[in-house]
Amino acid sequence: MRPADTTARPSVDVLISEVGPRDGLQSVQAHMPTALKCAWIDALATSGLREIEVGSFVPPRLLPQMADAAQVVRHAVARHPGITVMALVPNLRGAEAALAAGTPKLTLPVSASPAHSLANVRKTPAAMVDEVRAVVAMCRDTAPDTVVEVGLSTAFGCTLQGPVPEDDVIALAVACAEAGVHEVGLSDTTGMAQPAQVRRLFRRLQQELGPRAGAAHLHNTRGLGLANCLAAYDVGVRTFDSSLAGLGGCPYAPGASGNVVTEDLVYLFESMGVRTGVDWQALVAAREVLAQGLPGEPLYGMSPLAGLPKGWAPAA
């Protein structure tokens, strides 16, 4: 990742990329009011998070929860200049809107499963690589400082297709890197991954892409989210997507629920002596803002319920 200016901030060992305001909110039926959405992002920023995915630029008729994406981006960029503000764009049109709003980092979903790709973005994986190439070219011409990344959806399996061949995942990752993106990460969109698979696939990704091998976006659908994060960490992954209170999932992948809980992930790493730069107590406070914005929505996480152990201290 290439975070925005973090001058005077302490160094970290891993980057926690908070995806709740996008991945989380797109997966619930209720619409969080824009003012509360911005207040939630403010609370997240206060915790020390260095990267926040604040929305997606998709047609409001498809995801009305994201209709205010431009307004939210402008708020986050103006209010939090030390944070990398990121938005998802599914195509060139979405990227144009995101750049018009001043979004400094774009992420494109490219699915390794043709079935999921058609359901999610109505394009084949090959057509999405062409879309990625067009977005990269536009950014180079009009906004050269913009960071463009790809998250390879369904990299570990698909509820529509079933198993996804690992060779297909790696070939698609190489194609996206050749299209010019800064990074390519792997996403367990459907929560089907297990630690041995995570280690194997991220090792292959790193062998092929080197420093352009990107984030681990892992779900807790079947209870293996943290175990899979540790597996990725063990093979050198240092950027992890997660969502406050575990909010989210993919609306176009049946049964795909449960992002890794940011509070639990931060607690895990800090307990191991791995510095995240994130204040766990401030994350718990941000849950209260989230609850105000989505009253009645289930909030997940083990550490917020149990609290911190006596004598616990974050990584020095």
Side-chain angles (χ1 to χ4, degrees):
M1 297 280 180
R2 289 182 7 189
D5 179 27
T6 54
T7 303
R9 287 191 172 198
S11 60
V12 299
D13 300 313
V14 295
L15 175 64
I16 305 297
S17 181
E18 171 62 43
V19 301
R22 193 281 301 176
D23 194 352
L25 295 185
Q26 76 171 19
S27 304
V28 298
Q29 294 299 314
H31 295 185
M32 182 183 285
T34 303
L36 285 175
K37 192 182 295 186
C38 291
W40 181 30
I41 291 168
D42 293 345
L44 290 168
T46 299
S47 75
L49 288 161
R50 286 162 159 79
E51 181 169 280
I52 303 176
E53 187 180 31
V54 302
S56 60
F57 286 83
V58 298
R61 61 183 173 79
L62 297 178
L63 282 176
Q65 302 94 319
M66 297 289 112
D68 58 357
Q71 185 176 348
V72 172
V73 164
R74 291 188 183 101
H75 169 87
V77 170
R79 186 75 176 270
H80 306 291
I83 290 177
T84 299
V85 176
M86 178 168 60
L88 181 142
V89 297
N91 50 37
L92 184 62
R93 180 176 297 179
E96 290 171 343
L99 292 183
T103 313
K105 182 173 183 177
L106 310 180
T107 180
L108 288 98
V110 180
S111 182
S113 158
H116 179 262
S117 188
L118 291 171
N120 190 37
V121 293
R122 297 182 176 86
K123 288 183 174 68
T124 65
M128 276 303 297
V129 173
D130 292 337
E131 202 75 25
V132 168
R133 191 176 294 109
V135 170
V136 168
M138 181 187 67
C139 289
R140 284 175 177 167
D141 290 340
T142 63
D145 291 333
T146 304
V147 177
V148 182
E149 72 167 19
V150 160
L152 286 188
S153 308
T154 64
F156 299 92
C158 175
T159 53
L160 297 172
Q161 172 180 310
V164 177
E166 293 183 6
D167 287 348
D168 291 355
V169 175
I170 297 303
L172 190 59
V174 170
C176 289
E178 291 175 345
V181 299
H182 295 89
E183 291 185 354
V184 181
L186 301 180
S187 300
D188 183 24
T189 313
T190 59
M192 297 170 71
Q194 40 83 3
Q197 181 189 24
V198 169
R199 290 191 187 94
R200 184 171 62 247
L201 203 50
F202 270 106
R203 281 196 185 106
R204 291 190 61 182
L205 185 73
Q206 292 161 351
Q207 289 169 357
E208 292 288 345
L209 301 190
R212 284 197 282 178
H217 180 105
L218 301 166
H219 281 208
N220 197 45
T221 311
R222 293 168 177 83
L224 295 181
L226 291 181
N228 287 332
C229 285
L230 277 183
Y233 178 81
D234 286 345
V235 297
V237 176
R238 293 297 180 264
T239 300
F240 296 86
D241 294 354
S242 60
S243 177
L244 195 82
L247 199 68
C250 178
Y252 298 104
S257 61
N259 280 293
V260 168
V261 176
T262 302
E263 303 93 300
D264 290 346
L265 185 62
V266 168
Y267 173 74
L268 171 68
F269 278 134
E270 294 286 343
S271 297
M272 294 168 54
V274 177
R275 296 169 299 171
T276 66
V278 180
D279 183 328
W280 183 89
Q281 297 280 16
L283 286 178
V284 174
R287 286 171 70 98
E288 298 177 9
V289 183
L290 172 58
Q292 292 172 16
L294 293 176
E297 188 69 29
L299 303 183
Y300 302 99
M302 303 301 291
S303 62
L305 297 179
L308 295 175
K310 185 177 182 179
W312 185 88

